[in-house]
Amino acid sequence: MNALTAHSRDTPQFYLTAPSPCPYLKGQFERKVFTHLVGEQAAPLNDLLTHGGFRRSQTIAYRPACEGCRACVSVRVRVDDFLWTKAFRRNRAVNCDLVSAEVGVTPTSEQYSLFRAYLDRRHADGGMVDMTVMDYATMVEDSHVRTGLVEYRRRGPDTAINGRGAGPLLAVALVDRLSDGLSLVYSFYDPDAQDRGLGTHVILDHVARAKTLGLPYLYLGYWVDGSPKMDYKRRFRPQEFLAPAGWTLREGE
């Protein structure tokens, strides 16, 4: 590899997408700035860009760059000061029979079946609804950063020995490990288990995981002002948002 090729591989090049309909705000158009996360510098670059408001999707790091709109705001939860509300404690009690286990980055047919059911029932009009099993495998495996899957199942007879649950798969989270926190890349769960609040449970579990690992933050991606489907993220407090002057604690928190 010559010096020019090595330089271009290790130095990120940024690109801007063409305008496309916004998936969160009706009548708006989105643009994104993105770069590739490849090579030996992918992990530290992912750290740096996440701190700057980027999100990861496979080997791409991106952030909104929309003209005249700043509704998308990067948010992260302060783990050490997390407020365990009555609703959160109740969610943990309802799901006390569940066990979460890290399973590496090996996609399975069982995961895809759950992923497919989740999309069809919860996001039938979303941009991911046409993803095939190969697309799902690529989403999981195509990464040059420290990432992994966490599976959620009911507690089984051997849980005390192997640390894993048993029975049907109820939820899955794809999570990146950063220098100062965990970043929830994507999660999905059984749409028939509505009484469990599994989406909330996955976030609460990763608050606890980050605290156990001694990591101060849990990155939740973008909160979108004016989008009801993203408003749930405001419930996880205290929360910082990325402002022009840097990460800032939300008022009243």
Side-chain angles (χ1 to χ4, degrees):
M1 180 183 294
N2 61 43
L4 180 60
T5 303
H7 175 75
S8 63
R9 182 178 178 83
D10 294 336
T11 304
Q13 304 294 312
F14 291 88
Y15 308 91
L16 186 65
T17 66
S20 62
C22 177
Y24 302 111
L25 301 177
K26 187 176 181 179
Q28 296 285 350
F29 286 83
E30 68 169 0
R31 301 189 77 177
K32 296 175 182 176
V33 59
F34 70 94
T35 189
H36 296 279
L37 294 170
V38 294
E40 295 180 357
Q41 297 303 311
L45 180 59
N46 187 42
D47 256 45
L48 180 65
L49 292 178
T50 301
H51 296 159
F54 280 71
R55 291 287 284 167
R56 184 183 72 82
S57 177
Q58 298 174 49
T59 58
I60 297 292
Y62 68 90
R63 67 170 297 173
C66 307
E67 297 177 5
C69 180
R70 296 294 181 268
C72 293
V73 179
S74 295
V75 295
R76 66 186 186 186
V77 178
R78 285 190 178 183
V79 168
D80 289 337
D81 305 320
F82 186 70
L83 298 177
W84 288 93
T85 64
K86 288 183 179 179
F88 289 158
R89 292 197 297 270
R90 186 163 55 248
N91 180 282
R92 294 284 273 181
V94 167
N95 293 295
C96 66
D97 61 328
L98 299 189
V99 175
S100 60
E102 297 180 26
V103 295
V105 287
T106 302
T108 66
S109 58
E110 186 183 22
Q111 291 168 10
Y112 179 71
S113 294
L114 183 63
F115 176 70
R116 187 73 265 157
Y118 173 79
L119 291 180
D120 291 343
R121 292 276 297 278
R122 303 276 304 191
H123 298 285
D125 59 346
M128 301 174 71
V129 72
D130 294 327
M131 286 180 64
T132 66
V133 65
M134 292 302 297
D135 294 328
Y136 173 74
T138 299
M139 181 179 79
V140 172
E141 295 177 322
D142 195 7
S143 171
H144 291 242
V145 305
R146 187 175 180 183
T147 191
L149 292 165
V150 178
E151 291 187 343
Y152 295 78
R153 302 178 192 268
R154 289 183 177 86
R155 191 175 302 277
D158 297 325
T159 295
I161 299 172
N162 60 26
R164 297 192 177 189
L169 184 62
L170 293 176
V172 178
L174 179 62
V175 188
D176 286 352
R177 172 77 179 265
L178 306 175
S179 61
D180 67 345
L182 299 177
S183 177
L184 280 170
V185 178
Y186 194 76
S187 64
F188 53 94
Y189 49 86
D190 183 353
D192 290 325
Q194 297 183 20
D195 56 331
R196 283 186 174 273
L198 289 171
T200 296
H201 179 69
V202 167
I203 294 176
L204 296 178
D205 182 60
H206 279 83
V207 168
R209 282 175 170 271
K211 188 172 182 63
T212 298
L213 292 168
L215 300 172
Y217 299 112
L218 175 63
Y219 289 82
L220 296 182
Y222 300 117
W223 169 73
V224 184
D225 190 11
S227 172
K229 68 173 66 175
M230 286 293 184
D231 208 46
Y232 73 91
K233 295 183 181 182
R234 289 292 303 270
R235 297 188 293 125
F236 301 91
R237 300 180 291 116
Q239 187 176 110
E240 296 180 359
F241 68 96
L242 186 57
W247 289 95
T248 305
L249 189 67
R250 285 191 185 274
E251 291 186 7
E253 298 188 8

